[in-house]
Amino acid sequence: MAKTQHLDSTEELKSKKSKSERTAERLYEISIDQFLRRGFDQTTMRDLAQAAELSPGAFYYHFPSKEAVIQRFYEQTFAQFAEAAREAMSAHERFEARYMGLLEARLSTFRSSRELLIVLSRTAVDPRSTLSPFGPDQKEIREATIDLMRECIDGSDLSAHAKLRPYLPELLWMYMMGLIFYWVFDTSPEQKQTRELIRLLTPQIIRLIRFSRIPLTGRVLQPLFQVLQLVIPEPLALRQDSNKSTSRE
Amino acid sequence: MAKTQHLDSTEELKSKKSKSERTAERLYEISIDQFLRRGFDQTTMRDLAQAAELSPGAFYYHFPSKEAVIQRFYEQTFAQFAEAAREAMSAHERFEARYMGLLEARLSTFRSSRELLIVLSRTAVDPRSTLSPFGPDQKEIREATIDLMRECIDGSDLSAHAKLRPYLPELLWMYMMGLIFYWVFDTSPEQKQTRELIRLLTPQIIRLIRFSRIPLTGRVLQPLFQVLQLVIPEPLALRQDSNKSTSRE
DNA sequence: GGCATAATTTAAACACGTTCAAAATAAGTC
DNA sequence: GACTTATTTTGAACGTGTTTAAATTATGCC
């Protein structure tokens, strides 16, 4: 964000990336490689600097902190996830299949780096941390993910009570976040327990959403709507400027 | 744990506490005082040692880490909470009133030290951390808390499906843990938002529990019971040795 | 009371993430 | 091409939680 880059030199059009960006990219790759090989806590900044044949100080010129590398990783895998999710969703119209595909896409793009997510989780719980999915620093990724939930709903056969509908993207997002959290700390072999949990619980959640249309449940639903309004005061769907990718040159 | 203490000297019967325990107690009090005054991160071990007129090394003789002080604090307030909860519960028979009293007791015994809980939460999310409420190190407090939930149910008018009943203490405990978590990071003035959330959501949760007895909901409940069995494979109520305080001399 | 052993304390060091003033290098300008 | 400016790198330091070998003090025993 806020990178003042003038695309007027021919070299930049060719290589597309400044020297600084290339160095940052190199540092990132070396770091992730080391983290996966030796663990996040076990890898020191001096290790990273040495592996990159650089001084620790230079590292801090390109990254504000050790954890910021994980932040970049998080952004990176999000792109993969979004792509995989969209492909999975394009194959189905039934909401259950679409959403299950989305969840599967999320876990499989995380699979190879569960340990990094543990590190992320540790700091991410504090909403004041820059790594928190709920904080302002992650707004972009968060809203993009919530928008992915909207896509998942929009192309599907899912029906729900009109009052519930605007909250659905956020709710599905929260459900996914909870599952990721469960998965990260799931010690069962290959995290089969989370798989089983998803298989059992998700259809019931969806069933409840569909049930919301039945009028007689009104007396139960009324207070739950109040809860939704309290916890999600401004759902993305009800925002003014919900313009998507209108990049103006 | 595993403190080899021989109660055969008259002095120990009188003072009840060894020198080591008294020093630890003093360090604890000084530390909490400093933490509340200056914040956990802002207080260094050298500060604590200086305030206690001791060396940093001595501190580590009595506490394994800086965070271990918070662990002790957590144990301490649990006792206060249990007492306050029991008193609140003794005044009512209706489950809703009893449980609300319990929740109120938990939050009010934490109120004066919300910032310490933020620190606790940060490390507590990782189940491998000693501070995690889900890990083996916290087993004692956790099970005592779950047992408090059982007390809350036992003396009340709450009815539920027979298959659900053994899971209720754990479920109520999890609900409370979630609320505490929400409360800790609730930035609304005096955490009124959490208060409101509790007021709105809790009655609905209880209503759902009561509804579980209605047979026609079986088709929804069946998969949910499977989820419960998966997430809570060994509820406290179904353990063999659920003997409570049978201290044998 | 003297002595072996254990408990407690010390002060210096360690290892870590991070910062910073200064040096080195690259880019831009006339 | 020389000069200025911006970018990048360095390496030594800082401040932190924690460890440790050694010194000190208390305890138990005959």
Side-chain angles (χ1 to χ4, degrees):
Chain A
M1 11 214 112
K3 60 179 74 160
T4 52
Q5 192 175 350
H6 311 269
L7 289 170
D8 37 16
S9 115
T10 49
E11 274 139 20
E12 281 187 347
L13 279 174
K14 206 169 11 155
S15 69
K16 204 71 176 287
K17 281 175 181 169
S18 70
K19 189 198 173 199
S20 177
E21 274 173 322
R22 271 182 287 115
T23 312
E25 181 68 24
R26 199 171 65 88
L27 287 177
Y28 167 73
E29 273 161 12
I30 288 174
S31 300
I32 295 294
D33 180 64
Q34 294 286 321
F35 289 161
L36 291 178
R37 203 193 300 280
R38 305 153 51 149
F40 182 82
D41 288 331
Q42 280 66 46
T43 310
T44 72
M45 293 307 286
R46 286 156 183 89
D47 289 338
L48 293 181
Q50 192 172 4
E53 291 178 316
L54 228 62
S55 72
F59 198 103
Y60 280 87
Y61 180 79
H62 296 282
F63 286 92
S65 72
K66 189 183 177 186
E67 274 169 0
V69 180
I70 312 273
Q71 154 73 16
R72 180 151 176 165
F73 158 81
Y74 186 58
E75 285 165 6
Q76 203 111 337
T77 56
F78 169 72
Q80 290 172 33
F81 155 57
E83 198 191 322
R86 289 209 175 89
E87 195 189 316
M89 292 192 312
S90 69
H92 302 92
E93 197 184 335
R94 248 180 67 249
F95 177 73
E96 187 169 323
R98 285 170 72 89
Y99 190 52
M100 288 291 244
L102 183 149
L103 293 177
E104 170 59 30
R106 179 71 284 191
L107 290 193
S108 58
T109 45
F110 271 154
R111 182 154 37 207
S112 59
S113 43
R114 235 178 95 246
E115 214 236 334
L116 292 188
L117 280 202
I118 294 181
V119 177
L120 217 158
S121 300
R122 267 211 303 254
T123 41
V125 277
D126 191 338
R128 299 168 311 185
S129 148
T130 51
L131 287 181
S132 168
F134 303 96
D137 297 286
Q138 298 294 331
K139 191 182 174 191
E140 215 163 315
I141 290 190
R142 177 176 63 246
E143 299 198 340
T145 314
I146 293 173
D147 207 58
L148 204 57
M149 302 296 161
R150 187 194 49 71
E151 279 183 45
C152 188
I153 299 166
D154 279 359
S156 80
D157 62 344
L158 185 67
S159 59
H161 192 291
K163 276 172 81 178
L164 179 60
R165 234 168 279 154
Y167 296 99
L168 278 180
E170 264 89 352
L171 282 175
L172 292 174
W173 174 71
M174 286 181 179
Y175 177 65
M176 186 183 80
M177 295 299 280
L179 287 177
I180 292 173
F181 201 78
Y182 197 89
W183 175 81
V184 165
F185 295 110
D186 182 354
T187 53
S188 67
E190 295 188 74
Q191 290 70 52
K192 279 207 83 169
Q193 198 173 341
T194 307
R195 276 351 218 250
E196 189 70 1
L197 179 63
I198 292 177
R199 194 182 66 75
L200 288 168
L201 192 52
T202 314
Q204 303 310 316
I205 303 275
I206 296 172
R207 188 192 279 211
L208 282 177
I209 293 172
R210 289 210 155 96
F211 268 27
S212 70
R213 294 212 317 165
I214 298 177
L216 87 146
T217 55
R219 208 173 298 172
V220 184
L221 249 49
Q222 185 55 30
L224 291 182
F225 281 136
Q226 283 185 271
V227 170
L228 283 181
Q229 277 167 27
L230 185 73
V231 177
I232 312 171
E234 280 197 332
L236 198 57
L238 298 183
R239 278 315 153 81
Q240 306 280 23
D241 53 334
S242 60
N243 54 347
K244 44 203 109 105
S245 68
T246 54
S247 66
R248 185 174 318 201
E249 257 287 293
Chain B
M1 299 105 222
K3 60 179 76 162
T4 52
Q5 192 176 350
H6 312 269
L7 290 171
D8 37 16
S9 111
T10 50
E11 275 140 21
E12 281 187 348
L13 280 174
K14 202 160 25 145
S15 71
K16 206 69 176 287
K17 282 175 179 166
S18 71
K19 188 198 173 199
S20 178
E21 274 174 323
R22 272 182 286 116
T23 313
E25 180 67 24
R26 197 170 66 87
L27 287 177
Y28 167 73
E29 274 162 11
I30 288 173
S31 301
I32 294 293
D33 180 63
Q34 294 286 321
F35 289 161
L36 290 178
R37 204 193 299 280
R38 305 153 51 149
F40 182 82
D41 288 331
Q42 281 66 45
T43 310
T44 72
M45 292 308 284
R46 286 156 183 88
D47 289 338
L48 293 181
Q50 193 172 2
E53 292 178 315
L54 228 62
S55 72
F59 198 103
Y60 281 87
Y61 180 80
H62 296 283
F63 287 91
S65 72
K66 190 183 176 187
E67 274 169 0
V69 180
I70 312 273
Q71 154 72 16
R72 180 150 176 165
F73 159 82
Y74 187 58
E75 286 165 7
Q76 203 110 337
T77 56
F78 168 72
Q80 290 172 33
F81 154 56
E83 197 191 322
R86 289 209 174 88
E87 194 189 315
M89 294 192 310
S90 68
H92 303 92
E93 197 184 334
R94 249 181 64 249
F95 178 74
E96 187 169 323
R98 284 169 72 88
Y99 190 53
M100 289 291 245
L102 182 149
L103 293 176
E104 170 59 29
R106 178 70 285 191
L107 291 193
S108 58
T109 46
F110 271 154
R111 181 154 38 205
S112 59
S113 42
R114 233 177 96 244
E115 213 236 333
L116 293 188
L117 280 201
I118 294 181
V119 177
L120 217 157
S121 300
R122 266 209 304 252
T123 41
V125 277
D126 190 339
R128 299 167 313 183
S129 147
T130 50
L131 287 181
S132 169
F134 303 97
D137 297 286
Q138 298 294 331
K139 191 183 174 193
E140 217 164 313
I141 290 189
R142 177 176 63 246
E143 298 197 341
T145 315
I146 293 173
D147 207 57
L148 204 57
M149 302 296 162
R150 187 195 48 72
E151 279 183 46
C152 188
I153 299 165
D154 279 358
S156 80
D157 63 343
L158 186 67
S159 59
H161 192 290
K163 275 174 82 179
L164 179 60
R165 235 168 279 154
Y167 296 98
L168 278 180
E170 264 90 351
L171 282 175
L172 292 174
W173 174 72
M174 287 181 178
Y175 178 65
M176 186 183 80
M177 295 299 281
L179 287 176
I180 293 174
F181 201 78
Y182 197 88
W183 175 80
V184 165
F185 295 110
D186 181 354
T187 51
S188 67
E190 295 187 73
Q191 289 70 53
K192 280 206 83 169
Q193 198 172 342
T194 308
R195 276 354 221 244
E196 190 70 1
L197 179 62
I198 292 176
R199 194 182 66 76
L200 288 168
L201 192 51
T202 314
Q204 303 311 317
I205 302 276
I206 296 172
R207 187 192 279 211
L208 282 177
I209 294 172
R210 289 209 155 97
F211 268 25
S212 70
R213 294 213 316 165
I214 298 176
L216 87 145
T217 56
R219 206 173 297 171
V220 184
L221 250 49
Q222 185 55 31
L224 291 182
F225 281 136
Q226 283 184 272
V227 171
L228 282 182
Q229 278 167 28
L230 185 73
V231 177
I232 313 173
E234 280 198 331
L236 198 58
L238 298 184
R239 269 341 135 76
Q240 306 279 22
D241 53 333
S242 60
N243 54 347
K244 44 201 110 103
S245 68
T246 54
S247 66
R248 185 174 317 200
E249 257 287 291

